[in-house]
Amino acid sequence: MVITKDQSIIDVVQKYPKTIEVFRNYGMGCFGCAAARFENIEQGALAHGIDVDALIADLNKNAKDSGCGCGCGCS
């Protein structure tokens, strides 16, 4: 597992930019929100009534399928 519920939302989005779509699909458009700077994924998901395990699974699927998003060619 690459992404865990303990990671900050901002750290995940910075490392895996394509995960923004996953967060948005779950109703978490938190990227401009001040809370995203200090909240971890679990805290953000619970605040929005989102199934944390399902979100993490989808984030990891997206990160695995898209590499890191930096253009380095990793997978």
Side-chain angles (χ1 to χ4, degrees):
M1 185 179 299
V2 175
I3 299 171
T4 67
K5 63 184 180 180
D6 299 319
Q7 290 176 277
S8 78
I9 295 167
I10 291 297
D11 287 347
V12 170
V13 168
Q14 287 176 343
K15 187 168 183 179
Y16 304 101
K18 293 182 180 181
T19 59
I20 290 172
E21 182 180 341
V22 177
F23 282 111
R24 285 188 178 148
N25 288 342
Y26 275 84
M28 293 177 69
C30 305
F31 320 109
C33 174
R37 297 186 186 276
F38 62 86
E39 272 189 347
N40 64 33
I41 295 170
E42 180 178 39
Q43 292 167 325
L46 292 174
H48 289 276
I50 294 167
D51 180 336
V52 178
D53 294 329
L55 174 60
I56 293 298
D58 285 345
L59 288 169
N60 276 296
K61 181 179 183 309
N62 182 276
K64 179 182 175 217
D65 291 346
S66 64
C68 71
C70 73
C72 69
C74 71
S75 56

